[in-house]
PDB file of all heavy atoms in Angstrom:
ATOM      1  N   ASN Y   6     -42.663  16.351   6.879  1.00 49.00           N
ATOM      2  CA  ASN Y   6     -42.135  15.127   7.434  1.00 49.00           C
ATOM      3  C   ASN Y   6     -40.629  15.102   7.212  1.00 49.00           C
ATOM      4  O   ASN Y   6     -40.153  15.009   6.099  1.00 49.00           O
ATOM      5  CB  ASN Y   6     -42.813  13.954   6.728  1.00 49.00           C
ATOM      6  CG  ASN Y   6     -42.318  12.634   7.252  1.00 49.00           C
ATOM      7  OD1 ASN Y   6     -41.300  12.572   7.929  1.00 49.00           O
ATOM      8  ND2 ASN Y   6     -43.025  11.582   6.949  1.00 49.00           N
ATOM      9  N   ASN Y  18     -45.059  -5.929  -2.906  1.00 96.00           N
ATOM     10  CA  ASN Y  18     -46.038  -6.975  -3.229  1.00 96.00           C
ATOM     11  C   ASN Y  18     -46.282  -7.058  -4.727  1.00 96.00           C
ATOM     12  O   ASN Y  18     -46.645  -8.097  -5.260  1.00 96.00           O
ATOM     13  CB  ASN Y  18     -47.375  -6.694  -2.525  1.00 96.00           C
ATOM     14  CG  ASN Y  18     -47.225  -6.861  -1.028  1.00 96.00           C
ATOM     15  OD1 ASN Y  18     -46.494  -7.748  -0.572  1.00 96.00           O
ATOM     16  ND2 ASN Y  18     -47.877  -5.985  -0.279  1.00 96.00           N
ATOM     17  N   ARG Y  36     -31.375  -0.902  -7.762  1.00 97.00           N
ATOM     18  CA  ARG Y  36     -30.795  -2.241  -7.850  1.00 97.00           C
ATOM     19  C   ARG Y  36     -31.918  -3.235  -7.618  1.00 97.00           C
ATOM     20  O   ARG Y  36     -32.918  -2.903  -6.965  1.00 97.00           O
ATOM     21  CB  ARG Y  36     -29.731  -2.452  -6.757  1.00 97.00           C
ATOM     22  CG  ARG Y  36     -28.566  -1.499  -6.804  1.00 97.00           C
ATOM     23  CD  ARG Y  36     -27.665  -1.747  -8.031  1.00 97.00           C
ATOM     24  NE  ARG Y  36     -26.550  -0.807  -8.020  1.00 97.00           N
ATOM     25  CZ  ARG Y  36     -26.604   0.423  -8.531  1.00 97.00           C
ATOM     26  NH1 ARG Y  36     -27.703   0.870  -9.092  1.00 97.00           N
ATOM     27  NH2 ARG Y  36     -25.549   1.200  -8.484  1.00 97.00           N
ATOM     28  N   VAL Y  65     -45.010   3.543  -6.649  1.00 94.00           N
ATOM     29  CA  VAL Y  65     -46.140   4.337  -6.184  1.00 94.00           C
ATOM     30  C   VAL Y  65     -45.684   5.762  -5.882  1.00 94.00           C
ATOM     31  O   VAL Y  65     -44.769   5.973  -5.096  1.00 94.00           O
ATOM     32  CB  VAL Y  65     -46.703   3.718  -4.880  1.00 94.00           C
ATOM     33  CG1 VAL Y  65     -48.037   4.352  -4.530  1.00 94.00           C
ATOM     34  CG2 VAL Y  65     -46.825   2.207  -5.005  1.00 94.00           C
ATOM     35  N   SER Y  70     -51.913  12.982   1.801  1.00 90.00           N
ATOM     36  CA  SER Y  70     -53.144  12.216   2.029  1.00 90.00           C
ATOM     37  C   SER Y  70     -54.304  13.145   2.353  1.00 90.00           C
ATOM     38  O   SER Y  70     -54.103  14.265   2.836  1.00 90.00           O
ATOM     39  CB  SER Y  70     -52.936  11.247   3.189  1.00 90.00           C
ATOM     40  OG  SER Y  70     -52.879  11.971   4.395  1.00 90.00           O
ATOM     41  N   PRO Y  86     -50.633  25.075 -14.235  1.00 96.00           N
ATOM     42  CA  PRO Y  86     -51.340  25.356 -15.494  1.00 96.00           C
ATOM     43  C   PRO Y  86     -51.520  24.108 -16.365  1.00 96.00           C
ATOM     44  O   PRO Y  86     -52.327  24.116 -17.287  1.00 96.00           O
ATOM     45  CB  PRO Y  86     -50.462  26.395 -16.192  1.00 96.00           C
ATOM     46  CG  PRO Y  86     -49.327  26.690 -15.305  1.00 96.00           C
ATOM     47  CD  PRO Y  86     -49.456  25.916 -14.048  1.00 96.00           C
ATOM     48  N   TYR Y 114     -56.806  29.108  -6.737  1.00 92.00           N
ATOM     49  CA  TYR Y 114     -55.974  30.191  -7.258  1.00 92.00           C
ATOM     50  C   TYR Y 114     -55.380  29.775  -8.592  1.00 92.00           C
ATOM     51  O   TYR Y 114     -54.931  28.642  -8.758  1.00 92.00           O
ATOM     52  CB  TYR Y 114     -54.862  30.470  -6.246  1.00 92.00           C
ATOM     53  CG  TYR Y 114     -54.000  31.657  -6.575  1.00 92.00           C
ATOM     54  CD1 TYR Y 114     -54.370  32.936  -6.176  1.00 92.00           C
ATOM     55  CD2 TYR Y 114     -52.809  31.491  -7.269  1.00 92.00           C
ATOM     56  CE1 TYR Y 114     -53.575  34.024  -6.462  1.00 92.00           C
ATOM     57  CE2 TYR Y 114     -52.001  32.582  -7.560  1.00 92.00           C
ATOM     58  CZ  TYR Y 114     -52.389  33.844  -7.150  1.00 92.00           C
ATOM     59  OH  TYR Y 114     -51.589  34.917  -7.426  1.00 92.00           O
ATOM     60  N   GLN Y 137     -22.180  35.719 -15.391  1.00 89.00           N
ATOM     61  CA  GLN Y 137     -21.979  34.303 -15.706  1.00 89.00           C
ATOM     62  C   GLN Y 137     -23.207  33.765 -16.406  1.00 89.00           C
ATOM     63  O   GLN Y 137     -24.303  33.810 -15.874  1.00 89.00           O
ATOM     64  CB  GLN Y 137     -21.725  33.527 -14.426  1.00 89.00           C
ATOM     65  CG  GLN Y 137     -20.250  33.436 -14.106  1.00 89.00           C
ATOM     66  CD  GLN Y 137     -20.023  32.488 -12.955  1.00 89.00           C
ATOM     67  OE1 GLN Y 137     -20.625  32.618 -11.907  1.00 89.00           O
ATOM     68  NE2 GLN Y 137     -19.152  31.523 -13.166  1.00 89.00           N
ATOM     69  N   HIS Y 185     -59.686  36.955   5.542  1.00 94.00           N
ATOM     70  CA  HIS Y 185     -60.654  36.129   6.280  1.00 94.00           C
ATOM     71  C   HIS Y 185     -60.334  36.037   7.764  1.00 94.00           C
ATOM     72  O   HIS Y 185     -60.904  35.205   8.464  1.00 94.00           O
ATOM     73  CB  HIS Y 185     -60.713  34.721   5.684  1.00 94.00           C
ATOM     74  CG  HIS Y 185     -61.135  34.715   4.258  1.00 94.00           C
ATOM     75  ND1 HIS Y 185     -62.400  35.041   3.853  1.00 94.00           N
ATOM     76  CD2 HIS Y 185     -60.434  34.453   3.128  1.00 94.00           C
ATOM     77  CE1 HIS Y 185     -62.467  34.959   2.530  1.00 94.00           C
ATOM     78  NE2 HIS Y 185     -61.284  34.612   2.064  1.00 94.00           N
ATOM     79  N   LEU Y 187     -57.771  34.811   9.335  1.00 95.00           N
ATOM     80  CA  LEU Y 187     -57.370  33.453   9.696  1.00 95.00           C
ATOM     81  C   LEU Y 187     -55.938  33.464  10.192  1.00 95.00           C
ATOM     82  O   LEU Y 187     -55.138  34.315   9.801  1.00 95.00           O
ATOM     83  CB  LEU Y 187     -57.429  32.557   8.458  1.00 95.00           C
ATOM     84  CG  LEU Y 187     -58.810  32.161   7.936  1.00 95.00           C
ATOM     85  CD1 LEU Y 187     -58.702  31.748   6.481  1.00 95.00           C
ATOM     86  CD2 LEU Y 187     -59.381  31.026   8.780  1.00 95.00           C
ATOM     87  N   ILE Y 197     -51.754  21.388  -7.105  1.00 97.00           N
ATOM     88  CA  ILE Y 197     -52.275  20.277  -7.907  1.00 97.00           C
ATOM     89  C   ILE Y 197     -51.225  20.028  -8.974  1.00 97.00           C
ATOM     90  O   ILE Y 197     -51.005  20.866  -9.847  1.00 97.00           O
ATOM     91  CB  ILE Y 197     -53.636  20.636  -8.568  1.00 97.00           C
ATOM     92  CG1 ILE Y 197     -54.582  21.288  -7.564  1.00 97.00           C
ATOM     93  CG2 ILE Y 197     -54.234  19.418  -9.256  1.00 97.00           C
ATOM     94  CD1 ILE Y 197     -55.320  20.378  -6.659  1.00 97.00           C
ATOM     95  N   GLY Y 220     -48.580  20.975   0.794  1.00 96.00           N
ATOM     96  CA  GLY Y 220     -48.609  19.629   0.251  1.00 96.00           C
ATOM     97  C   GLY Y 220     -48.939  19.659  -1.219  1.00 96.00           C
ATOM     98  O   GLY Y 220     -49.041  20.730  -1.823  1.00 96.00           O
ATOM     99  N   ARG Y 249     -57.937  37.639 -16.394  1.00 78.00           N
ATOM    100  CA  ARG Y 249     -56.791  37.755 -15.505  1.00 78.00           C
ATOM    101  C   ARG Y 249     -55.560  37.069 -16.089  1.00 78.00           C
ATOM    102  O   ARG Y 249     -54.444  37.520 -15.896  1.00 78.00           O
ATOM    103  CB  ARG Y 249     -57.129  37.106 -14.173  1.00 78.00           C
ATOM    104  CG  ARG Y 249     -56.762  37.960 -12.964  1.00 78.00           C
ATOM    105  CD  ARG Y 249     -57.457  37.409 -11.760  1.00 78.00           C
ATOM    106  NE  ARG Y 249     -56.586  36.480 -11.036  1.00 78.00           N
ATOM    107  CZ  ARG Y 249     -55.756  36.867 -10.074  1.00 78.00           C
ATOM    108  NH1 ARG Y 249     -55.660  38.132  -9.744  1.00 78.00           N
ATOM    109  NH2 ARG Y 249     -55.028  35.988  -9.433  1.00 78.00           N
ATOM    110  N   LEU Y 271     -31.862  34.891 -26.949  1.00 91.00           N
ATOM    111  CA  LEU Y 271     -30.774  33.974 -26.661  1.00 91.00           C
ATOM    112  C   LEU Y 271     -31.142  33.049 -25.503  1.00 91.00           C
ATOM    113  O   LEU Y 271     -30.430  32.925 -24.523  1.00 91.00           O
ATOM    114  CB  LEU Y 271     -29.505  34.756 -26.327  1.00 91.00           C
ATOM    115  CG  LEU Y 271     -28.932  35.525 -27.515  1.00 91.00           C
ATOM    116  CD1 LEU Y 271     -27.822  36.446 -27.067  1.00 91.00           C
ATOM    117  CD2 LEU Y 271     -28.423  34.562 -28.576  1.00 91.00           C
ATOM    118  N   ASN Y 295     -22.804  31.849 -24.609  1.00 88.00           N
ATOM    119  CA  ASN Y 295     -23.510  32.902 -25.343  1.00 88.00           C
ATOM    120  C   ASN Y 295     -25.009  32.882 -25.100  1.00 88.00           C
ATOM    121  O   ASN Y 295     -25.735  33.747 -25.566  1.00 88.00           O
ATOM    122  CB  ASN Y 295     -23.256  32.764 -26.838  1.00 88.00           C
ATOM    123  CG  ASN Y 295     -21.781  32.872 -27.142  1.00 88.00           C
ATOM    124  OD1 ASN Y 295     -21.068  33.601 -26.456  1.00 88.00           O
ATOM    125  ND2 ASN Y 295     -21.326  32.134 -28.129  1.00 88.00           N
ATOM    126  N   GLY Y 310     -45.844  16.618 -19.796  1.00 97.00           N
ATOM    127  CA  GLY Y 310     -45.387  15.234 -19.868  1.00 97.00           C
ATOM    128  C   GLY Y 310     -45.111  14.660 -18.487  1.00 97.00           C
ATOM    129  O   GLY Y 310     -44.473  13.624 -18.356  1.00 97.00           O
ATOM    130  N   PRO Y 312     -45.349  12.675 -14.997  1.00 96.00           N
ATOM    131  CA  PRO Y 312     -45.808  11.286 -14.822  1.00 96.00           C
ATOM    132  C   PRO Y 312     -47.180  11.173 -14.162  1.00 96.00           C
ATOM    133  O   PRO Y 312     -47.805  10.124 -14.268  1.00 96.00           O
ATOM    134  CB  PRO Y 312     -44.722  10.657 -13.941  1.00 96.00           C
ATOM    135  CG  PRO Y 312     -43.990  11.790 -13.316  1.00 96.00           C
ATOM    136  CD  PRO Y 312     -44.120  12.956 -14.242  1.00 96.00           C
ATOM    137  N   GLN Y 378      -9.166   1.990 -10.396  1.00 94.00           N
ATOM    138  CA  GLN Y 378      -8.360   0.986 -11.105  1.00 94.00           C
ATOM    139  C   GLN Y 378      -8.935  -0.407 -10.923  1.00 94.00           C
ATOM    140  O   GLN Y 378      -8.994  -1.200 -11.853  1.00 94.00           O
ATOM    141  CB  GLN Y 378      -6.908   1.039 -10.612  1.00 94.00           C
ATOM    142  CG  GLN Y 378      -6.244   2.336 -11.001  1.00 94.00           C
ATOM    143  CD  GLN Y 378      -4.964   2.593 -10.252  1.00 94.00           C
ATOM    144  OE1 GLN Y 378      -4.810   2.182  -9.097  1.00 94.00           O
ATOM    145  NE2 GLN Y 378      -4.034   3.293 -10.884  1.00 94.00           N
ATOM    146  N   LEU Y 394     -28.952  -9.132 -14.951  1.00 93.00           N
ATOM    147  CA  LEU Y 394     -29.349 -10.257 -14.093  1.00 93.00           C
ATOM    148  C   LEU Y 394     -28.642 -10.249 -12.737  1.00 93.00           C
ATOM    149  O   LEU Y 394     -29.126 -10.809 -11.767  1.00 93.00           O
ATOM    150  CB  LEU Y 394     -29.082 -11.590 -14.801  1.00 93.00           C
ATOM    151  CG  LEU Y 394     -29.983 -11.844 -16.013  1.00 93.00           C
ATOM    152  CD1 LEU Y 394     -29.571 -13.113 -16.731  1.00 93.00           C
ATOM    153  CD2 LEU Y 394     -31.442 -11.907 -15.585  1.00 93.00           C
ATOM    154  N   GLU Y 405     -18.539  -1.419 -10.205  1.00 95.00           N
ATOM    155  CA  GLU Y 405     -18.492  -0.409  -9.138  1.00 95.00           C
ATOM    156  C   GLU Y 405     -19.110  -0.928  -7.852  1.00 95.00           C
ATOM    157  O   GLU Y 405     -18.570  -0.730  -6.767  1.00 95.00           O
ATOM    158  CB  GLU Y 405     -19.292   0.820  -9.567  1.00 95.00           C
ATOM    159  CG  GLU Y 405     -18.472   1.858 -10.258  1.00 95.00           C
ATOM    160  CD  GLU Y 405     -19.315   3.098 -10.488  1.00 95.00           C
ATOM    161  OE1 GLU Y 405     -19.958   3.592  -9.538  1.00 95.00           O
ATOM    162  OE2 GLU Y 405     -19.337   3.543 -11.629  1.00 95.00           O
TER     163      GLU Y 405
END
Side-chain angles (χ1 to χ4, degrees):
Chain Y
N6 180 345
N18 292 323
R36 300 291 180 274
V65 191
S70 72
Y114 186 86
Q137 269 189 307
H185 300 291
L187 287 159
I197 313 279
R249 227 165 94 89
L271 292 171
N295 300 327
Q378 293 165 329
L394 292 175
E405 268 187 50

